[in-house]
Amino acid sequence: MQQGSSSRVVCKFGGSSLASATQFRKVRAIVEADPRRRIVVPSAPGKRDSKDAKITDLLYLCHHAASIDADFSGPFRQIIERYEEIERELGLAIGIAAQVETLRGEFARGVSADYAASRGEHFCARLLAAYLDAEFVEAADCIVIGSQGMVMPETYELLGARLADPARRYVIPGFYGRDVEGRVRTFSRGGSDVSGAVAARAAHAGLYENWTDVPGMLMADPRIVDNPRPMAEVTYAEIRELSYMGASVLHDEAMAPVREVGIPVNIRNTNDPAHPGTRIVSRLSPEVEKSTLIAGVAGKTNFAMITIGKHLMNREVGFIYRLLGVLEHNGISIEQCPSSIDTVSVVMDAAQVEGRVEHVIDELRRTLEPDEIDFVPQVALIAIVGEGMAHTVGIAAKVFGALAESRVNVRLINQGPSELNIIVGVAPEDYARAVRALYAAFVN
Ligand code: ASP
């Protein structure tokens, strides 16, 4: 695996980190505190408080209104005022209002929703480049996004060449690039994380810092566990497992570009820059490896499960194949598939079978001729994730001991071959109790 070959650091700042002039000042202090912080990737200004609007949302709103010939002057005014206020309070004079104003005509003429949304990052990067006295890099010139939303390989060469001078400071807007035909195209929502990762890889950065408004990743959901500990260090593989279960502060697709070349990620808090945050690495450092058994506990309650029983199922060639065939035919993807000799369960996102359970079960009955078939509309899955679990004796005993003590009935168990996680399925009403019990068993 290739480690980042330079000591340059890419810093991506999220929307709340750039929501106002005050936040811009914090960003400048952070960037200037470390001379390695050479490449800066901003999101669009986010909410200043819970009642505020995100610029990206306002842009989508204007775009939609314009597309049905409705009046969009209200939200458009709000957009201009936000940028103007930041410019004025920072003492800049780049004529941001006039730049944003050109968008009004573009809306009326009918631009794409992607183009409209991308302007949030674009104007923010214009202001930030001026404020940091850095060079503005047009993302649409160097990030190429394929039809499925993936980063095209030529991006790395184009962007790498554009960011080549190690002595310069660059600002490149997040969230967008262009498609293969040259039209502005965005990633999915929250995609500035992906842009930051792409920039880190293109620049062979030594570190990708992702600055947000939380102190890093927590070992459990704070809505369930009181004051869960932050993770100091976690591997890419652990993050993948945890974010699959909904515990993530990073966009799902942001990990791949840096993971493939081994550039570490550091999640940091713009409002508390002294806090070391969470480091995401290929391999845990020996101290962390020695001292931690699990990275965290995460879960979701929105699964459904179909269990099929048939005597001598194990001898019936192609049984699972036919089962999966029915699901494929109905466009259902499965999350887990635990089995025993004569039973097999399939767990899926409940939304996938909503309104058509009868139909799917009917088809399974006809195709598989089972002895029994059972549908559970809501199951919660909990993953206990940690590199330290592999080769450690007694993990399963600890998991099931903790659940038994809390009187939680386990409906399914799955340990992946990587031994990176153990997944248990429980009734939704037991979910919070189970998470607390597991956290307490492994962390406290
Ligand atoms: N501004 C975009 C959004 O709100 C992208 C991002 O913030 O990463 O989704």
Side-chain angles (χ1 to χ4, degrees):
M1 208 176 277
Q2 178 201 329
Q3 270 292 337
S5 56
S6 84
S7 58
R8 276 196 294 175
V9 174
V10 169
C11 311
K12 179 260 167 178
F13 289 92
S16 59
S17 301
L18 293 157
S20 63
T22 309
Q23 293 301 86
F24 267 67
R25 287 192 192 98
K26 292 182 191 169
V27 166
R28 183 158 86 176
I30 290 166
V31 171
E32 291 182 348
D34 186 337
R36 296 172 309 161
R37 293 184 176 132
R38 292 269 136 205
I39 299 162
V40 181
V41 181
S43 283
K47 295 182 179 194
R48 290 162 290 191
D49 55 59
S50 58
K51 288 197 205 79
D52 204 9
K54 291 175 75 165
I55 291 288
T56 309
D57 292 337
L58 293 173
L59 286 163
Y60 278 123
L61 197 71
C62 290
H63 177 266
H64 176 69
S67 73
I68 54 168
D69 274 338
D71 175 36
F72 58 87
S73 52
F76 197 76
R77 213 22 303 130
Q78 265 178 281
I79 297 171
I80 295 197
E81 280 170 10
R82 272 294 273 292
Y83 285 114
E84 248 181 345
E85 185 181 296
I86 294 171
E87 182 185 52
R88 187 179 58 249
E89 287 185 19
L90 295 179
L92 298 169
I94 65 164
I96 198 72
Q99 291 184 43
V100 181
E101 190 55 50
T102 58
L103 201 51
R104 195 192 297 270
E106 291 178 322
F107 274 142
R109 281 199 298 282
V111 287
S112 70
D114 277 19
Y115 176 80
S118 75
R119 297 304 88 186
E121 272 68 11
H122 179 89
F123 295 127
C124 188
R126 289 278 180 201
L127 281 172
L128 190 60
Y131 188 50
L132 295 177
D133 198 15
E135 189 174 323
F136 174 85
V137 175
E138 177 48 79
D141 290 344
C142 1
I143 295 184
V144 189
I145 304 176
S147 57
Q148 305 295 316
M150 67 287 184
V151 180
M152 299 299 279
E154 60 265 38
T155 296
Y156 296 109
E157 216 170 293
L158 287 168
L159 189 56
R162 187 66 185 78
L163 302 174
D165 188 348
R168 287 199 178 181
R169 188 167 281 142
Y170 300 101
V171 172
I172 171 163
F175 193 36
Y176 73 94
R178 67 168 142 91
D179 65 15
V180 284
E181 261 114 50
R183 292 169 300 216
V184 165
R185 177 173 176 149
T186 63
F187 292 111
S188 54
R189 293 297 305 262
S192 300
D193 283 347
V194 185
S195 310
V198 167
R201 177 162 172 173
H204 302 291
L207 178 66
Y208 171 28
E209 287 180 339
N210 190 290
W211 291 85
T212 167
D213 54 6
V214 293
M217 298 204 47
L218 300 172
M219 293 185 76
D221 185 340
R223 288 166 301 183
I224 297 177
V225 171
D226 282 339
N227 290 320
R229 278 197 217 161
M231 300 176 195
E233 199 173 83
V234 57
T235 65
Y236 301 117
E238 288 170 331
I239 286 281
R240 170 89 187 100
E241 301 282 349
L242 288 164
S243 62
Y244 164 71
M245 283 292 182
S248 184
V249 289
L250 272 191
H251 189 288
D252 264 356
E253 286 142 43
M255 213 62 75
V258 283
R259 180 181 183 166
E260 282 158 16
V261 291
I263 299 171
V265 182
N266 192 186
I267 298 168
R268 302 284 296 266
N269 186 354
T270 302
N271 304 317
D272 184 10
H275 194 290
T278 300
R279 280 176 69 81
I280 308 172
V281 294
S282 320
R283 293 199 57 141
L284 296 175
S285 55
E287 314 84 73
V288 175
E289 198 166 12
K290 240 185 276 146
S291 61
T292 53
L293 213 46
I294 67 158
V297 178
K300 283 202 243 178
T301 54
N302 59 330
F303 297 99
M305 178 165 77
I306 299 174
T307 301
I308 298 156
K310 187 171 188 184
H311 187 51
L312 298 181
M313 178 193 288
N314 62 320
R315 297 215 199 137
E316 203 177 304
V317 175
F319 188 89
I320 301 283
Y321 176 75
R322 285 195 295 282
L323 160 62
L324 296 182
V326 172
L327 298 178
E328 181 193 10
H329 166 72
N330 283 281
I332 297 169
S333 68
I334 62 165
E335 309 292 333
Q336 303 285 327
C337 186
S339 65
S340 60
I341 318 171
D342 285 341
T343 57
V344 57
S345 295
V346 279
V347 178
M348 60 235 125
D349 188 332
Q352 290 207 46
V353 279
E354 211 178 282
R356 55 203 188 112
V357 177
E358 309 271 286
H359 167 80
V360 174
I361 293 201
D362 225 46
E363 203 173 324
L364 287 170
R365 264 207 190 98
R366 272 182 281 116
T367 314
L368 304 170
E369 299 176 332
D371 299 329
E372 44 196 328
I373 188 158
D374 179 36
F375 176 68
V376 183
Q378 208 192 351
V379 181
L381 294 187
I382 304 171
I384 304 102
V385 177
E387 302 265 2
M389 284 167 39
H391 326 296
T392 306
V393 175
I395 297 285
K398 206 164 177 164
V399 168
F400 298 108
L403 293 174
E405 243 172 65
S406 299
R407 311 213 66 72
V408 172
N409 180 34
V410 177
R411 308 194 69 150
L412 74 92
I413 305 166
N414 206 355
Q415 170 160 34
S418 61
E419 284 189 55
L420 194 65
N421 66 4
I422 294 177
I423 291 180
V424 293
V426 302
E429 57 273 22
D430 290 343
Y431 172 67
R433 194 152 35 96
V435 170
R436 275 184 222 115
L438 291 166
Y439 179 84
F442 282 95
V443 184
N444 286 345

